[in-house]
DNA sequence: TATATGAATGTAATATCATAACAGGTCAAG
DNA sequence: CTTGACCTGTTATGATATTACATTCATATA
């Protein structure tokens, strides 16, 4: 796994389960935004106002937002109010590795450690809706092995889990 | 892994990648349907005409069909032509373990070895749209471990891979 | 500076996927 | 029979997503 940033500086790398922990989220979000600037600048693509604003909106919480939730926010702020406005910005963020799509929720969440090439697993709390990225290396390796055994070539894979985060497990028990 | 049927009799168990192999599919489908009868009868639920027909439709090919594809077929055969007709039958089949929902495709595929409690990984060919069930035990174990490490309790998980099946890999290279 | 170019955004229209709510029919238990 | 649970049909609506085209913006030349 190669990084474009130092592990020691990256809250996401230090604690991918960040979404479930108390933490300085203002710093967490500002950090991700700063990384996003760096990543896009390095890639020679533009983090335009809409795109940047969508990322900020996703970064407000460690949750996944539907495209129409994002669109509502954008429209209220004077951006376009038609679906493509939101979908295009979200697609851009996903392509650049700044956000992830959560298939189970038909929704999008900001990446907590952009800049690193990664394909994490997602842990989705069914009670509080928090979404955390989890280490998916071993699971992916096992899946690759199973696919290879039958001659299937994996190009993209989705690993998502629904359940209870530590806090909700406590409170609902 | 416990079975309600013998491994030696079960094409699905013998070759979960069946979808990618030449095989006697008429037998494969008839077999799955027979198992479905057994499973539902044992569970005390009813495999009504609509439900049975939906399963037959899904069993025609090792692909995933959208609810509206199924609905179109049903309507053409004199069943109801409104979405709930298809969604309810599909929901029933999924609940009974006779079909699976493919999140990535918003579509449904017949289970190739119903009767066994299982949560497989799905291998989806982006070229021919075939969907195979793959052994997900090790991948799930790895995911469980990653989740446990951060205190997350998994209740349901989705493992799906998109890529090329053996045949399409050959033909497109 | 002018102007060509491609990228990004805005908008209308439409397609696709999914559920809520209620009415009527079927069937077996009491 | 009648009751009650379950299943089916239908209307209506909601939620998610894409196509197509017009317009604006940034930037790189001439
Ligand atoms: Zn945070
Ligand atoms: Zn990420
Ligand atoms: Zn078959
Ligand atoms: Zn199955």
């Amino acid at each position: 796994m190669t990084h474009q940033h130092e592990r020691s500086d990256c809250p996401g790398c230090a604690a991918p389960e960040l979404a479930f922990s108390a933490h300085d989220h203002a710093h967490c979000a500002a950090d991700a935004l700063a990384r996003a600037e760096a990543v896009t600048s390095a890639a020679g693509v533009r983090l335009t106002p809409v795109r940047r604003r969508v990322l900020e909106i996703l970064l407000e919480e460690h949750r996944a937002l539907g495209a129409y939730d994002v669109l509502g926010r954008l429209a209220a702020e004077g951006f376009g109010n038609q679906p493509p406005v939101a979908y295009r910005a979200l697609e851009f963020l996903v392509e650049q590795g700044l956000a992830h799509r959560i298939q189970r929720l038909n929704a999008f969440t900001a990446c907590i450690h952009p800049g690193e090439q990664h394909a994490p697993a997602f842990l989705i709390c069914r009670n509080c809706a928090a979404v955390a990225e989890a280490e998916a290396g071993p699971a992916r390796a096992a899946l690759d092995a199973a696919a290879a055994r039958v001659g299937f070539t994996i190009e993209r894979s989705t690993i998502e889990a629904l359940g209870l985060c530590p806090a909700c497990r406590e409170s609902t028990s």
Side-chain angles (χ1 to χ4, degrees), chain A:
Chain A
M1 208 152 57
T2 52
H3 282 62
Q4 292 182 16
H5 58 261
E6 291 302 317
R7 266 185 187 278
S8 55
D9 286 352
C10 173
C13 292
E17 78 283 13
L18 206 65
F20 302 145
S21 322
H23 65 282
D24 179 353
H25 183 64
H27 175 270
C28 164
D31 182 76
L33 200 54
R35 286 184 200 293
E37 304 269 19
V39 166
T40 50
S41 154
V45 295
R46 292 191 298 152
L47 189 60
T48 60
V50 212
R51 293 168 174 176
R52 186 189 163 100
R53 189 68 193 113
V54 169
L55 181 55
E56 288 171 356
I57 289 167
L58 292 182
L59 280 169
E60 287 175 3
E61 291 180 84
H62 292 288
R63 307 221 284 105
L65 289 186
Y68 281 75
D69 296 329
V70 171
L71 181 59
R73 297 284 305 271
L74 290 177
E77 295 172 17
F79 292 98
N81 67 30
Q82 298 304 313
V85 173
Y87 280 102
R88 284 193 292 231
L90 289 165
E91 179 187 31
F92 170 85
L93 295 174
V94 169
E95 273 171 2
Q96 300 303 317
L98 304 175
H100 300 290
R101 176 171 193 139
I102 309 297
Q103 302 283 352
R104 248 195 123 89
L105 304 178
N106 289 334
F108 302 82
T109 193
C111 177
I112 61 166
H113 43 174
E116 174 189 352
Q117 289 308 316
H118 66 237
F122 295 99
L123 307 179
I124 308 160
C125 180
R126 68 164 160 80
N127 188 61
C128 70
V131 174
E133 297 189 14
E135 170 60 21
R140 254 164 232 284
L143 180 56
D144 283 351
R149 244 178 275 129
V150 302
F152 187 91
T153 308
I154 294 181
E155 290 170 351
R156 316 177 55 78
S157 50
T158 302
I159 303 182
E160 296 173 356
L162 197 67
L164 285 180
C165 74
C168 292
R169 184 187 187 179
E170 284 300 311
S171 63
T172 65
S173 68

